[in-house]
Amino acid sequence: MKITDVPFSTIDWNEISATQHPGIEGNAYWRTFEMGNIRVRMVEYTPGYIADHWCNKGHVLLVLEGELDTELSDGRKFKLTPGVSYQVADDTSPHRSYTSTGAKLFIVD
C-alpha cells in the first residue's frame, strides 16, 4: 500500500459520527476518516451481525474487542479475537464477516 496525499493528522474517533450499515442480521456502525487514497474506519458490529455481501476490497483489519468470524468464498473460516488482524489485497479472497458476540474493529483500506 502506498499512501499518498495524506499529511500528518490525528483523529479523535469520539468526534466522528457513526453511520449505520445494516447486515442480513444486525448492524454495523462505521466512524470513517477518508483522505488522499485511504479510508480508515472504527467499526462496531452488533451481536448477531451477518454481512449482507461478499467483499472484494483489500483491507488491514484489527479486532479491538469481541470476536469476529470471517469466511472466505473458498469456504475457509477464521475466528479473530482481540489483538488478531488480517490483511488481504483488492480482488483477492472475497470475504464476509459475522459475529455472535459483537465486535469492535479498526480497518484501513
Side-chain angles (χ1 to χ4, degrees):
M1 172 188 325
K2 182 176 181 172
I3 299 172
T4 59
D5 301 319
V6 181
F8 179 86
S9 57
T10 62
I11 303 166
D12 181 344
W13 292 101
N14 296 313
E15 292 183 7
I16 296 177
S17 298
T19 57
Q20 181 177 337
H21 301 264
I24 293 171
E25 299 284 335
N27 290 293
Y29 294 94
W30 299 8
R31 297 176 190 276
T32 305
F33 170 83
E34 291 186 84
M35 184 177 285
N37 66 333
I38 65 163
R39 176 175 68 171
V40 181
R41 295 178 285 156
M42 189 74 68
V43 175
E44 293 188 50
Y45 291 153
T46 60
Y49 174 80
I50 302 171
D52 65 352
H53 66 283
W54 289 97
C55 181
N56 287 306
K57 180 106 174 102
H59 311 286
V60 176
L61 178 149
L62 171 65
V63 176
L64 301 173
E65 298 174 8
E67 290 186 347
L68 181 71
D69 293 292
T70 297
E71 177 182 15
L72 303 184
S73 62
D74 66 9
R76 290 182 289 160
K77 295 182 181 181
F78 301 87
K79 182 174 287 296
L80 289 82
T81 55
V84 177
S85 66
Y86 75 71
Q87 45 286 323
V88 63
D90 288 335
D91 303 315
T92 304
S93 301
H95 50 281
R96 64 180 172 189
S97 295
Y98 54 96
T99 177
S100 59
T101 63
K104 186 174 186 178
L105 315 169
F106 184 78
I107 304 170
V108 179
D109 50 26

